[in-house]
Amino acid sequence: MIVLQPVLEVRAPNGFDLWPVAAFGANGFLPLGGALKPAQVGTAVMRIAECNDIDPEVDGRSPRPADPLGSFLHGLLTMDHLFAAGGLRVTDTATGITLLPGCCNGLEERRDWLEVIDGDGWASFGHDPSPLAERVGTAVRLTVDAEQDDSPVIELPVSHLRDLLADAERDLADFLRLAASWTDRHLPDHAAPVVSAIARVLDLPAPPRP
């Protein structure tokens, strides 16, 4: 069985206390979807904000607010181009082979996968490792690390990959709806702009507000 999930690269919270988050002992990937617990949603929101926590002096944005919460959210709410470290994780449960997004790949780039199906027939997804997807006739070959001659590979039909990608979009839409409810509860003074920013980074329409 082939499992494809949108995942966010997460790190240990290291004393983060602006809102409740789930404990992570080491760096890893958090699958995004509609079944996350509230603390996991908090971790995802924290990580997306952290990915964009860049000093405004770098690009001339307005200064950071003085309060810790406003300061942490400032990049997420003011940057033009947002980033969420991660991408799509593919696992072949029969063999245990897993393709992970590489360094510098972001969830906002996930539609590069459509190039494999409908475009040039290949796409890469970061480095260290360097995952690669290539269309070969009616199949897609996924190479876990294209820099390694003996890299494990996963193969699946093009039609199956298309279905899996559609499922991943639904997972992200479900996560966004969860995030909207979560922000209403935990970030009431910033809920609308935070949800709008998360929708932008996921390249999805923002859910309707109550």
Side-chain angles (χ1 to χ4, degrees), residues 52-73:
N52 298 282
D53 187 20
I54 297 171
D55 286 334
E57 290 80 3
V58 172
D59 53 14
R61 286 174 290 120
S62 60
R64 290 178 183 270
D67 67 288
L69 178 58
S71 176
F72 182 67
L73 293 174

Side-chain angles (χ1 to χ4, degrees), residues 1-5 89-97 113 140 142 153-157 160-161 163-164 167:
M1 178 179 178
I2 306 296
V3 178
L4 184 150
Q5 298 168 300
R89 179 174 68 188
V90 184
T91 302
D92 184 340
T93 60
T95 64
I97 296 172
W113 281 83
V140 175
L142 308 180
V153 298
I154 298 171
E155 292 195 0
L156 70 162
H160 189 28
L161 177 59
D163 291 341
L164 292 173
D167 289 342

Side-chain angles (χ1 to χ4, degrees), residues 6-26:
V7 294
L8 182 68
E9 184 180 357
V10 294
R11 301 173 180 172
N14 292 328
F16 182 86
D17 61 1
L18 293 176
W19 57 74
V21 295
F24 277 86

